Amino acid sequence: MTTVLVVDDQPLQRYGFRVLLDSIPETEVVGEAAHGAEAVRKTAELRPDVVLMDVRMPGMDGIEATRRIVESGGRSRVLVLTTFDLDEYAHAALRAGASGFLLKDARPEELLAGIRAVAGGDAVIAPALTRRILDEYARHVPADRSDPSEDPRLASLTDREREILVAIGKGWNNGEIAARFVVSESTVKTHVGRVLAKIGARDRIQAVIFAYDLGLARPGAG
Amino acid sequence: MTTVLVVDDQPLQRYGFRVLLDSIPETEVVGEAAHGAEAVRKTAELRPDVVLMDVRMPGMDGIEATRRIVESGGRSRVLVLTTFDLDEYAHAALRAGASGFLLKDARPEELLAGIRAVAGGDAVIAPALTRRILDEYARHVPADRSDPSEDPRLASLTDREREILVAIGKGWNNGEIAARFVVSESTVKTHVGRVLAKIGARDRIQAVIFAYDLGLARPGAG
DNA sequence: GGGGCCGTAGTACCGCGGTACGACCCGCCA
DNA sequence: TGGCGGGTCGTACCGCGGTACTACGGCCCC
């Protein structure tokens, strides 16, 4: 059973979603909200699996509400709906942390598939928008690099050394690495030295760059 | 009526798709191919609306076949199928110009929705992959508003200090920076110290990470 | 003219990082 | 049984990195 909170400023629209979702055993509408602030409050209160969020609303709009819901750290996933395929909305919504973006004219089975996917932790985008996303993607994402994680220099590292490399990529100094791995700093130095030699890095700084280039290190990782 | 070419090296799999697609009036399987080369040839010959393409095949694989079909400039759209959610396949396929990427364990209605979307000129991605695509997308495509290069810590840097930060991000040591900027190493140290203080970094390693997170440093540079 | 910001430069000091050893334990395998 | 790779730990040494402080010329603006 997937619990859903329906957010839309139009009562009739909310009614339509409720009828649709309650007509099948898989989903249940546990609440409704008419604007962003109410959506944030009811999400915290009802903890639905999925929040069905309209973008255009008076007061706090769906984007801002989505951002707050996501930042609150709860379990609820947000599936954003809009009447138009205005992709600035889509971009903003997805960057706000929405798990999906669909058009209101989606057929019922598409909406249900979207809710199912979002509830399962996946993401979903309206097909009409997917093309643009993919075009942008193909244009911006650098060509392959023949999968850098298969770099021969990486292959020569032992498991432990790979862990060390990741730790270096996080910006930790030897003492911090020693503390987190519960070994002595001498041991860390030994490992670091071997890692540098194997990947051909002059110092740990170039190891950090190496880790980033290969995608071992990720922005925002602490 | 949507015409479909089914490409898979396993006859039984092709049969399954044919039964499914011919069971509904909306789609019609107009041909089959057992490997990439045959897929390319039959696509040119039959001009199907959609090519249902398996990735893993002996000889020319689905990726290469997709690339050739797309480059041939025909009207046919390619919908790639795979058993596993190996995202290196997904990336390669989408970069090869595929209009969609689904898993073989997709439910029939998902597959049909995918074919419908692709035939209509839209694109479709398996929900399980959409999240990764979005993550990549968010990381690579310049965000129009929450541009990290507007980070207040960056704004406090002078032009010279920004140059120094970029140089740090390239992995250069103080001597190298001094040589390239034609200043003394003392000057470099002064700048570096100020940069670290302003961006709140403990050492140049965290400055490197900072530069990468903000997109100041780019893989493959320097 | 005076004050601030910026870029430049220097000295002095300390600590971390990196290297070069040597050493021990463990599990695996010939 | 011995050898070998991997992980662990230690000592010693040196150099680069980072900090603190001072200093000066150029520039802009009050």
Side-chain angles (χ1 to χ4, degrees):
Chain A
M1 173 66 78
T2 301
T3 56
V4 179
L5 172 70
V6 175
V7 184
D8 200 306
D9 62 323
Q10 298 185 19
L12 198 62
Q13 186 80 58
R14 294 202 301 273
Y15 177 76
F17 284 132
R18 181 180 276 275
V19 168
L20 168 66
L21 297 178
D22 283 349
S23 72
I24 55 174
E26 191 180 343
T27 56
E28 180 191 5
V29 174
V30 294
E32 298 181 11
H35 55 265
E38 191 180 2
V40 174
R41 194 174 64 246
K42 290 210 170 180
T43 298
E45 174 192 336
L46 302 170
R47 302 192 164 278
D49 297 316
V50 176
V51 178
L52 216 54
M53 176 83 72
D54 187 24
V55 261
R56 308 197 69 167
M57 286 181 297
M60 186 194 300
D61 69 5
I63 307 293
E64 181 58 28
T66 298
R67 184 173 295 113
R68 300 204 185 183
I69 289 172
V70 171
E71 282 175 359
S72 74
R75 197 177 44 83
S76 304
R77 311 270 182 172
V78 179
L79 178 53
V80 171
L81 295 175
T82 186
T83 309
F84 316 102
D85 63 338
L86 300 173
D87 54 359
E88 62 257 49
Y89 275 149
H91 284 84
L94 295 173
R95 247 180 299 105
S99 292
F101 194 94
L102 291 179
L103 303 184
K104 276 192 180 174
D105 66 1
R107 293 196 320 288
E109 63 264 30
E110 287 178 358
L111 178 63
L112 294 176
I115 290 177
R116 201 180 294 125
V118 170
D122 293 330
V124 61
I125 311 174
L129 295 174
T130 302
R131 166 132 308 279
R132 293 189 215 166
I133 299 273
L134 286 184
D135 288 346
E136 289 273 332
Y137 179 79
R139 198 163 57 243
H140 285 96
V141 174
D144 206 19
R145 291 173 267 157
S146 69
D147 195 0
S149 44
E150 287 180 8
D151 190 299
R153 288 171 291 178
L154 244 191
S156 68
L157 296 182
T158 67
D159 291 344
R160 195 56 156 172
E161 287 161 359
R162 234 183 307 266
E163 290 177 354
I164 295 288
L165 176 54
V166 171
I168 293 174
K170 290 181 190 296
W172 300 348
N173 61 31
N174 291 337
E176 287 166 341
I177 297 176
R180 305 231 185 190
F181 285 25
V182 198
V183 295
S184 80
E185 199 167 328
S186 294
T187 301
V188 174
K189 281 191 171 190
T190 304
H191 285 313
V192 169
R194 278 202 273 262
V195 167
L196 297 185
K198 284 187 177 180
I199 69 177
R202 178 177 61 193
D203 50 37
R204 70 199 295 114
I205 290 143
Q206 299 196 337
V208 168
I209 295 173
F210 178 82
Y212 265 80
D213 286 354
L214 263 62
L216 286 180
R218 286 265 160 258
Chain B
M1 172 66 78
T2 301
T3 56
V4 179
L5 173 69
V6 175
V7 184
D8 199 306
D9 62 323
Q10 297 186 19
L12 199 61
Q13 188 78 59
R14 293 202 301 273
Y15 177 77
F17 283 133
R18 181 181 276 274
V19 168
L20 169 65
L21 297 178
D22 282 350
S23 72
I24 53 173
E26 192 180 343
T27 55
E28 179 190 5
V29 174
V30 294
E32 298 181 11
H35 54 264
E38 191 179 2
V40 175
R41 195 175 62 247
K42 289 209 171 179
T43 298
E45 175 193 334
L46 302 171
R47 302 191 163 280
D49 296 317
V50 176
V51 179
L52 216 55
M53 175 83 71
D54 187 23
V55 260
R56 308 196 71 166
M57 286 182 297
M60 186 195 299
D61 69 6
I63 307 293
E64 181 58 29
T66 298
R67 184 172 296 113
R68 299 204 187 183
I69 289 172
V70 171
E71 283 175 357
S72 74
R75 199 178 42 86
S76 304
R77 311 272 182 171
V78 180
L79 178 54
V80 171
L81 294 176
T82 186
T83 309
F84 317 100
D85 63 337
L86 300 173
D87 54 357
E88 62 257 48
Y89 276 150
H91 285 84
L94 296 174
R95 245 180 301 103
S99 292
F101 194 94
L102 290 180
L103 303 184
K104 276 191 179 175
D105 65 1
R107 294 197 319 290
E109 61 263 32
E110 287 178 358
L111 178 64
L112 294 176
I115 291 178
R116 201 180 294 125
V118 169
D122 292 331
V124 62
I125 310 175
L129 295 175
T130 301
R131 170 135 306 281
R132 293 187 217 167
I133 297 280
L134 285 184
D135 289 346
E136 288 273 335
Y137 179 79
R139 195 160 65 245
H140 288 289
V141 176
D144 44 21
R145 198 165 302 171
S146 67
D147 190 350
S149 45
E150 288 180 7
D151 189 297
R153 288 171 293 178
L154 245 191
S156 69
L157 297 182
T158 66
D159 291 343
R160 196 55 156 174
E161 286 161 358
R162 235 182 306 266
E163 290 177 354
I164 295 287
L165 176 55
V166 171
I168 293 174
K170 290 182 190 295
W172 299 348
N173 60 31
N174 291 337
E176 288 167 340
I177 297 175
R180 305 230 184 192
F181 285 27
V182 199
V183 294
S184 79
E185 199 167 328
S186 294
T187 300
V188 174
K189 280 191 170 190
T190 303
H191 285 314
V192 170
R194 279 202 271 260
V195 168
L196 297 185
K198 285 188 178 179
I199 69 176
R202 178 177 59 194
D203 49 36
R204 70 197 296 115
I205 290 145
Q206 299 196 337
V208 169
I209 295 173
F210 178 83
Y212 265 80
D213 285 355
L214 264 60
L216 286 180
R218 282 270 156 253

